Amino acid sequence: MNGLPQFHFISGLPRSGSTLLSAILLQNPRFHAGMTSPVGTLFSSVLQQCSAGSEFGSVIDTDLRRRLLRGLFDSYYADKADKPVIFDTNRQWCARLPALQDLFPQAKTIACVRNVAWVLDSLERLYRANPFENTKLFNDDDERNTVYSRCETLAQRNRLVGFAWTALKEAYYGENAESLLIVDYDLLSQAPERVMRLVYEFIGEPWFEHDFNHLTYDAPAFDQALGVAGLHKVKPKVAPQARRTLLPPDLFEKYAELSFWRDGSASAANVIRMKTDAAVS
């Protein structure tokens, strides 16, 4: 690739294993991966300033837009020149697949998913673990008053969970679905090596022997700024953890029905599913 890195993307639902996946990938010395980067936000800002209706839209053509947007990735990751493969993480990438496929034709997007009820349960658990902090996940007391208002707020289409869910759905049923791999958090935690071998196969990289018992990843300063301690802390060992939900039964049932990726009949996306005792796609 003329010395340029191969870019891939990590997206999908929050609290669904994207940070865990990045921590695993980081063990491979060929790879760079991490938590959500600012590249997605910069991407949107540049596009807004260069498009129709902006002051400069009339003097910036499509080819120049492509160069500017591609340049964001090259500049941001210029200090990772020793890494042949770079994974950039952002929940909005699922809504940007047409642009990503144009800029990076060989790129793959890995979308981490999880039963939406458990996503909300995980966020609720973090909220309750920080009872003396008004987290920035909510704008006012009306939104944060009870578990019902908190879940309904996060599930709105322009908020943390709702946006990620609708963006994922767009990608799953869209024209670029073949470049998408759905990785379920439960499968990754139950059978990490089997799932990761399929991830490697999907991105066309040689297998690397990972240590799933000694992972390291944390971002306390970032989490503290959001008022949600532990949001990006990864446990050392990959393993499933059984627990009871904190959500009332009616809330849990409502959101547990939103796992559209379990029906693969109308999508060309790649989905890792568990069949008998093996993970298959």
Side-chain angles (χ1 to χ4, degrees):
M1 295 185 59
N2 300 321
L4 296 176
Q6 170 64 61
F7 281 98
H8 296 300
F9 302 92
I10 298 173
S11 194
L13 303 180
R15 307 303 297 164
S16 298
S18 61
T19 307
L20 171 61
L21 176 62
S22 294
I24 294 172
L25 292 169
L26 270 173
Q27 290 184 337
N28 189 329
R30 287 175 43 81
F31 296 167
H32 172 75
M35 54 177 278
T36 300
S37 85
V39 177
T41 301
L42 293 170
F43 189 100
S44 296
S45 298
V46 170
L47 193 57
Q48 182 178 6
Q49 293 298 318
C50 297
S51 297
S54 72
E55 179 181 359
F56 306 106
S58 61
V59 297
I60 299 179
D61 60 18
T62 301
D63 286 338
L64 179 52
R65 260 181 240 135
R66 285 193 183 97
R67 293 200 301 275
L68 288 170
L69 293 170
R70 168 69 203 231
L72 289 175
F73 295 90
D74 295 335
S75 297
Y76 186 79
Y77 289 108
D79 61 338
K80 307 298 181 185
D82 60 325
K83 304 294 183 181
V85 182
I86 292 175
F87 296 84
D88 186 87
T89 300
N90 199 295
R91 280 185 290 276
Q92 72 166 281
W93 291 137
C94 277
R96 298 285 190 188
L97 285 193
L100 294 182
Q101 289 301 294
D102 185 290
L103 293 174
F104 307 101
Q106 305 303 316
K108 305 292 186 181
T109 298
I110 303 169
C112 298
V113 302
R114 189 183 194 179
N115 183 312
V116 178
W118 283 113
V119 171
L120 291 167
D121 173 271
S122 181
L123 289 165
E124 177 66 16
R125 194 171 294 270
L126 285 172
Y127 175 83
R128 296 190 194 187
N130 296 272
F132 303 111
E133 182 72 71
N134 273 346
T135 167
K136 291 185 178 180
L137 293 178
F138 306 103
N139 295 327
D140 53 40
D141 286 340
D142 287 341
E143 292 184 353
R144 68 171 64 90
N145 273 337
T146 72
V147 64
Y148 286 89
S149 62
R150 291 191 289 271
C151 286
E152 289 167 4
T153 295
L154 294 173
Q156 292 176 20
R157 292 191 175 184
N158 63 339
R159 301 300 286 269
L160 179 65
V161 178
F163 167 74
W165 184 84
T166 52
L168 174 63
K169 200 168 189 180
E170 175 182 334
Y172 186 77
Y173 292 109
E175 69 277 21
N176 300 112
E178 289 185 357
S179 68
L180 185 69
L181 177 67
I182 306 293
V183 176
D184 189 287
Y185 174 79
D186 291 333
L187 299 186
L188 180 60
S189 62
Q190 293 169 20
E193 181 171 336
R194 293 172 182 171
V195 170
M196 290 306 299
R197 283 186 179 275
L198 291 171
V199 169
Y200 271 77
E201 181 180 338
F202 181 68
I203 63 176
E205 287 289 325
W207 174 245
F208 176 84
E209 289 294 338
H210 289 278
D211 183 352
F212 299 106
N213 295 315
H214 298 88
L215 299 179
T216 303
Y217 200 95
D218 198 5
F222 184 90
D223 295 349
Q224 184 177 7
L226 286 176
V228 191
L231 188 64
H232 291 94
K233 184 176 179 63
V234 171
K235 292 181 174 61
K237 183 176 181 178
V238 182
Q241 292 186 322
R243 67 170 190 252
R244 290 181 57 189
T245 180
L246 294 178
L247 304 185
D250 57 330
L251 267 187
F252 190 90
E253 183 179 351
K254 174 182 177 180
Y255 293 108
E257 298 176 351
L258 301 181
S259 301
F260 58 84
W261 55 87
R262 291 177 181 171
D263 177 15
S265 60
S267 174
N270 304 271
V271 182
I272 297 178
R273 296 184 175 90
M274 192 67 79
K275 185 176 181 181
T276 62
D277 64 344
V280 299
S281 67

